[in-house]
RNA sequence: GGGGGAAUGUCCCGAGCGGCAAAGGGGGCGGACUGUAAAUCCGCUGGCUAUGCCUUCGUAGGUUCGAGUCCUACUUCCCCCA
């Protein structure tokens, strides 16, 4: 298809968000007619979302910007099952209380990226537990079971791999796609939702919903998937030294979030600017041309823009300033990750190794010792010679000291009385 | 129902004549080189009150001075025959 007419598809196409679409031309037509409600489902498997979901979140954000209505589906019901798509083993089952807590965390993340409310293009949140929990087994099977053939369900890549490896797929998990299909039907009926988006692994689940609505309601729905993101070296996106790149400030500070983007590989910069910022494409293009030393400018802009979206303008500026003071001026910038140590603990004799563990920079004292042996640990900028050296009040500057592991991981230790 | 294989370091893959904290990769971390990048090279990659002690090879027992390694039972998975 040539250039889409609709603002939304045009943007998504240009910025590299589209992997597959069930009927791009018809969807484009529909989007050009007026506001459209579209949804993406998020299972409540953790109390925050991480960068792996950011592409999806950005598509919802663009949707809203282009004058349409985002519907955020929290999978309070489906989380009780666990999506088996492209997985070799089933997931641990989550209990209701945990799911509820996770769902609350998810809502918090979305509130930063979308505008919620009652207006025609305001985002809304729905929870599929509301309609899945009350379902009765036999009536459900009789109404909807006849529209799914096992033959077809088995043909989807998302489950076929599992079967080919002869890994067990339980009836429970196998039902996941049926329930997700039902979600789409439900949302099309009660929220006028005509489009479901998602990662490329969701293709099978999405198509099932479209088929179901076509058979039962004779309604045309659409599906659109985004590409699976890997870094240019082929690694899975979204890992840092300390774990996943969470979008929630309580789980990953804005500074660390900023650092993640700042450290992206050169070859990913242009692509990430298109996907994870809202900079105009000609600006993205200009930044993408930068090479060598200069590409660091583009990385700082990427970090700034991505952090602004996730944590707000002020937090983004603070993160940038903390990075500048730490890396360019070599100071003890206040915005660094920090831990507290009581004066009593200090006086009773704390070694560097113990402090490294407390700061989360080493998993164990043994690891801390090895780190020191490899010249990998610094105290206030100077190399630590012996991991068992006690830290003393003399190491403090303004009541704090700085531990550094490698070149990038800094933690401030505040000592209080 | 019968026969044959497999399970290894809590990230993964994988070698392991009865002396094993256990080869080799990948990944991760650190160092050198750089640009807070990549590639490359080097080192490290169970814990601790640390020249020693403790915990690790699917689970539970057994043989042995000593078991990842041998025996028995069990669990799960794979292959072949019915």
């Amino acid at each position: 298809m040539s250039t889409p007419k609709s603002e939304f598809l045009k943007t998504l196409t240009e910025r590299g968000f589209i992997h597959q679409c069930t009927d791009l031309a018809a969807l484009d037509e529909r989007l050009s007619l007026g506001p459209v409600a579209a949804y993406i489902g998020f299972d409540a498997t953790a109390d925050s979302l991480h960068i792996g979901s950011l592409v999806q979140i950005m598509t919802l954000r663009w949707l809203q910007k282009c004058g349409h209505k985002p519907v955020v589906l929290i999978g309070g019901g489906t989380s009780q099952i666990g999506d088996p798509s492209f997985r070799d083993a089933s997931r641990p089952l989550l209990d209701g209380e945990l799911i509820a807590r996770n769902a609350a965390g998810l809502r918090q993340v979305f509130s930063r990226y979308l505008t919620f409310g009652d207006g025609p293009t305001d985002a809304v949140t729905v929870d599929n537990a509301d309609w899945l929990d009350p379902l009765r087994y036999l009536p459900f099977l009789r109404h909807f079971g006849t529209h799914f053939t096992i033959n077809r369900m088995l043909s989807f890549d998302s489950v076929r791999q599992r079967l080919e490896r002869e890994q067990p797929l339980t009836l429970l998990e196998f039902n996941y796609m049926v329930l997700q299909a039902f979600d789409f039907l439900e949302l099309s009926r009660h929220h006028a939702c005509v489009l479901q988006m998602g990662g490329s692994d969701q293709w099978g689940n999405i198509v099932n919903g479209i088929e179901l609505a076509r058979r039962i309601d004779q309604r045309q729905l659409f599906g659109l998937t985004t590409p699976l993101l890997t870094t240019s070296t082929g690694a899975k996106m979204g890992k840092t030294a300390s774990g996943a790149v969470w979008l929630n400030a309580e789980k990953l500070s804005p500074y660390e979030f900023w650092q993640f983007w700042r450290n992206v590989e050169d070859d990913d910069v242009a692509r990430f600017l298109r996907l994870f910022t809202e900079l105009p494409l000609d600006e993205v293009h200009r930044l993408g041309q930068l090479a060598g030393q200069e590409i660091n400018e583009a990385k700082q802009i990427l970090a700034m823009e991505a952090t602004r979206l996730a944590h707000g303008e002020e937090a983004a500026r603070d993160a940038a300033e903390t990075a500048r003071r730490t890396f360019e001026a070599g100071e003890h910038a206040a915005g660094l990750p920090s831990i507290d140590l009581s004066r009593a603990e200090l006086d009773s004799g704390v070694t560097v190794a113990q402090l490294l563990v407390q700061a989360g920079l080493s998993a164990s004292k043994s690891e801390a010792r090895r780190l020191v042996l490899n010249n990998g640990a610094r105290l206030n900028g100077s190399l630590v010679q012996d991991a068992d050296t006690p830290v003393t009040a003399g190491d403090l500057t303004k009541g704090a000291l700085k531990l550094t592991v490698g070149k990038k991981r800094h933690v401030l230790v505040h000592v209080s009385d």
Side-chain angles (χ1 to χ4, degrees):
Chain A
M1 172 171 154
S2 53
T3 313
K5 289 186 289 185
S6 66
E7 184 76 25
F8 179 57
L9 286 186
K10 187 162 171 280
T11 303
L12 255 51
T13 306
E14 289 171 344
R15 291 189 163 259
F17 279 93
I18 298 180
H19 180 246
Q20 276 179 293
C21 182
T22 52
D23 188 343
L24 207 52
L27 176 60
D28 192 36
E29 195 61 41
R30 180 71 188 77
L31 287 162
S32 308
L33 295 176
V36 161
Y39 94 96
I40 300 182
F42 298 85
D43 271 350
T45 48
D47 60 1
S48 173
L49 291 167
H50 52 76
I51 226 175
S53 301
L54 195 50
V55 178
Q56 270 71 262
I57 297 173
M58 291 303 289
T59 59
L60 285 180
R61 193 174 155 89
W62 281 115
L63 182 83
Q64 186 164 47
K65 270 197 140 179
C66 295
H68 302 285
K69 187 180 187 68
V71 176
V72 175
L73 175 101
I74 306 278
T78 36
S79 299
Q80 296 170 47
I81 293 180
D83 188 356
S85 296
F86 299 100
R87 286 176 172 265
D88 274 350
S90 52
R91 306 190 185 185
L93 292 179
L94 305 173
D95 68 61
E97 195 184 318
L98 182 64
I99 291 172
R101 218 172 327 127
N102 290 343
L106 263 48
R107 284 189 168 90
Q108 205 189 325
V109 173
F110 286 110
S111 66
R112 301 226 70 119
Y113 287 90
L114 301 171
T115 305
F116 287 83
D118 299 323
T121 66
D122 283 341
V124 293
T125 305
V126 294
D127 185 341
N128 64 12
D130 290 347
W131 57 84
L132 294 181
D133 277 350
L135 284 181
R136 292 173 58 223
Y137 195 54
L138 279 179
F140 180 77
L141 277 184
R142 287 178 59 100
H143 279 124
F144 303 103
T146 51
H147 298 288
F148 293 89
T149 65
I150 296 291
N151 313 53
R152 178 154 167 75
M153 287 169 76
L154 290 177
S155 74
F156 285 98
D157 281 346
S158 50
V159 300
R160 206 171 57 200
Q161 287 182 7
R162 176 89 156 258
L163 296 173
E164 278 170 0
R165 294 183 197 182
E166 312 213 21
Q167 300 290 329
L169 177 71
T170 63
L171 179 63
L172 176 79
E173 296 173 275
F174 195 48
N175 268 276
Y176 189 94
M177 67 165 76
V178 174
L179 294 180
Q180 187 167 331
F182 182 66
D183 281 347
F184 201 177
L185 181 72
E186 191 71 12
L187 288 175
S188 71
R189 286 174 171 176
H190 302 300
H191 292 269
C193 211
V194 299
L195 169 64
Q196 182 182 177
M197 304 186 288
S200 57
D201 59 333
Q202 292 299 304
W203 182 254
N205 293 339
I206 293 173
V207 166
N208 268 299
I210 293 174
E211 298 262 307
L212 186 64
R214 188 172 53 76
R215 288 173 192 222
I216 293 185
D217 291 351
Q218 289 78 48
R219 199 196 310 258
Q220 186 184 19
L221 302 180
F222 301 94
L224 188 155
T225 57
T226 55
L228 182 70
L229 275 199
T230 53
T231 67
S232 60
T233 42
K236 226 182 249 175
M237 269 275 289
K239 287 283 180 185
T240 64
S242 45
V245 182
W246 298 104
L247 299 177
N248 194 317
E250 285 82 64
K251 300 195 58 120
L252 187 76
S253 71
Y255 166 75
E256 289 169 284
F257 188 79
W258 193 94
Q259 280 295 318
F260 169 79
W261 297 105
R262 175 63 181 82
N263 284 299
V264 138
E265 291 160 29
D266 286 8
D267 293 345
D268 289 328
V269 172
R271 190 163 52 114
F272 287 180
L273 281 167
R274 270 184 286 143
L275 291 169
F276 301 117
T277 77
E278 293 175 333
L279 292 178
L281 286 170
D282 51 0
E283 175 71 357
V284 171
H285 183 71
R286 183 186 75 78
L287 293 169
Q289 298 294 306
L290 299 177
Q293 175 78 270
E294 290 191 323
I295 202 169
N296 284 325
E297 184 201 334
K299 290 186 187 181
Q300 285 180 14
I301 291 171
L302 170 65
M304 184 67 199
E305 294 299 312
T307 308
R308 190 214 307 275
L309 289 174
H311 301 296
E313 176 79 27
E314 199 187 331
R317 281 189 195 287
D318 287 350
E321 176 60 12
T322 298
R324 192 194 63 74
R325 291 180 54 188
T326 302
F327 289 94
E328 291 170 31
E331 299 172 13
H332 293 203
L336 290 171
S338 67
I339 59 165
D340 292 312
L341 187 73
S342 70
R343 172 69 66 172
E345 283 177 283
L346 182 72
D347 291 342
S348 65
V350 180
T351 65
V352 175
Q354 287 171 321
L355 220 46
L356 283 168
V357 174
Q358 279 191 42
L361 291 168
S362 292
S364 66
K365 272 180 275 179
S366 297
E367 189 183 295
R369 292 201 179 94
R370 278 183 236 120
L371 193 65
V372 169
L373 285 176
N374 286 327
N375 290 336
R378 284 168 189 275
L379 174 63
N380 293 328
S382 51
L383 217 50
V384 177
Q385 302 296 337
D386 179 0
D388 293 314
T389 321
V391 175
T392 66
D395 295 316
L396 299 176
T397 312
K398 284 192 243 167
L401 58 88
K402 184 170 77 166
L403 284 174
T404 304
V405 165
K407 294 185 184 67
K408 299 179 199 168
R409 298 156 67 201
H410 306 271
V411 172
L412 290 184
V413 180
H414 295 292
V415 178
S416 52
D417 294 313

